[in-house]
Amino acid sequence: MLVGKVVGSLIATRKNENLIGCKFLVIEPFLRMEGDGGRIVAIDNVGAGIGEVVLVTKGSAARIGCGMEKVPVDAAVVGIVDDGGELE
């Protein structure tokens, strides 16, 4: 799981049929591991908006956490941070 800030949204007019209706957000992680590419795209099931600090889960946990086990998802927003102290 990682913590990041929503810095944008992404619109895809052509996508896997299982992703129809999903909202895509661009996330800037606060901490990066060596070799990470920086920003990531995650589906949003919690109604996050640009500028909010969010919790993101990656890999198979992203699919399981949002009830989309058979959907091609690698990252999902699973929470909005109300108080992150020094994170912002």
Side-chain angles (χ1 to χ4, degrees):
M1 187 174 297
L2 60 89
V3 179
K5 189 173 206 172
V6 179
V7 294
S9 61
L10 184 120
I11 298 172
T13 55
R14 295 186 64 164
K15 57 191 165 230
N16 181 286
E17 64 184 34
N18 293 323
L19 293 171
I20 293 172
C22 291
K23 178 179 165 185
F24 299 102
L25 296 176
V26 179
I27 311 294
E28 178 78 37
F30 285 127
L31 301 171
R32 293 194 196 126
M33 303 298 284
E34 189 173 325
D36 279 352
R39 293 179 176 177
I40 62 171
V41 175
I43 64 165
D44 175 34
N45 282 338
V46 297
I50 294 175
E52 290 190 290
V53 176
V54 294
L55 294 172
V56 178
T57 187
K58 295 178 68 178
S60 61
R63 292 188 301 277
I64 294 167
C66 60
M68 304 175 86
E69 288 86 0
K70 298 186 187 222
V71 179
V73 171
D74 188 49
V77 175
V78 295
I80 299 171
V81 177
D82 293 324
D83 183 9
E86 68 276 351
L87 289 175
E88 296 187 59

